Amino acid sequence: MAELCKNSRELNSILYGNSESEPVSEACAKLTQEFFRENTLQLLIICLPKLNLEARKDATQVVANLQRQQVYSQLIASDYLEANTNLMDILIASFEDTDMALHYGAMLRECIRHQTVARVLSYVLTVDVV
């Protein structure tokens, strides 16, 4: 877990830059591609409760940033989430843990910004109500 905590800080630094440098768009694009290709989003969501508070904050910011990253004018996150709608179930179910609800809620909010995810989630919530 210590390695994952360290990596979340490094991912955050690549995507947002640091006091010494701005983010490099090529590095952000490469990170975005690898993040979704390797199914890291699901791993991060599942492992989030095991991280310390600072790593959780970093992970939440990383997920938020990657949802908006375009690679070759395409939102990779949108395609990924459309193919992995089970992640929305995980995020919604995670609200039961009050210590984690803030982090999962921020991730869910960023995911819902994608039209395909919002449409699927809207349908699921409508079916559950009826």
Side-chain angles (χ1 to χ4, degrees):
M1 275 309 126
E3 187 71 22
L4 187 54
C5 291
K6 181 181 153 214
N7 289 342
S8 67
R9 171 60 56 183
E10 290 174 8
L11 292 174
N12 199 346
S13 179
I14 292 169
L15 293 169
Y16 289 98
N18 56 38
S19 60
E20 299 169 9
S21 64
E22 292 291 317
V24 177
S25 59
E26 295 83 19
C28 292
K30 182 70 172 163
L31 174 60
T32 302
Q33 289 173 315
E34 292 299 318
F35 192 85
F36 291 110
R37 182 181 304 128
E38 298 298 324
N39 211 16
T40 307
L41 179 60
Q42 183 169 355
L43 179 65
L44 195 57
I45 289 171
I46 291 170
C47 292
L48 195 66
K50 297 176 181 158
L51 301 177
N52 65 41
L53 180 60
E54 286 304 311
R56 287 179 195 161
K57 289 178 187 178
D58 288 336
T60 302
Q61 287 181 328
V62 165
V63 169
N65 187 297
L66 290 172
Q67 298 302 313
R68 296 183 297 269
Q69 285 289 332
Q70 291 189 14
V71 179
Y72 305 116
S73 301
Q74 182 180 3
L75 286 171
I76 294 176
S78 185
D79 297 336
Y80 176 84
L81 291 170
E82 186 174 10
N84 295 279
T85 56
N86 64 311
L87 293 179
M88 298 305 100
D89 296 333
I90 295 170
L91 289 172
I92 291 169
S94 299
F95 276 96
E96 294 176 10
D97 182 350
T98 56
D99 293 335
M100 301 303 301
L102 182 64
H103 303 289
Y104 283 124
M107 289 181 182
L108 182 62
R109 183 178 55 244
E110 292 299 326
C111 292
I112 291 174
R113 291 177 192 248
H114 298 285
Q115 187 175 8
T116 55
V117 175
R119 195 176 313 121
V120 168
L121 192 57
S122 172
Y123 174 76
V124 169
L125 293 174
T126 304
V127 171
D128 284 347
V129 171
V130 175

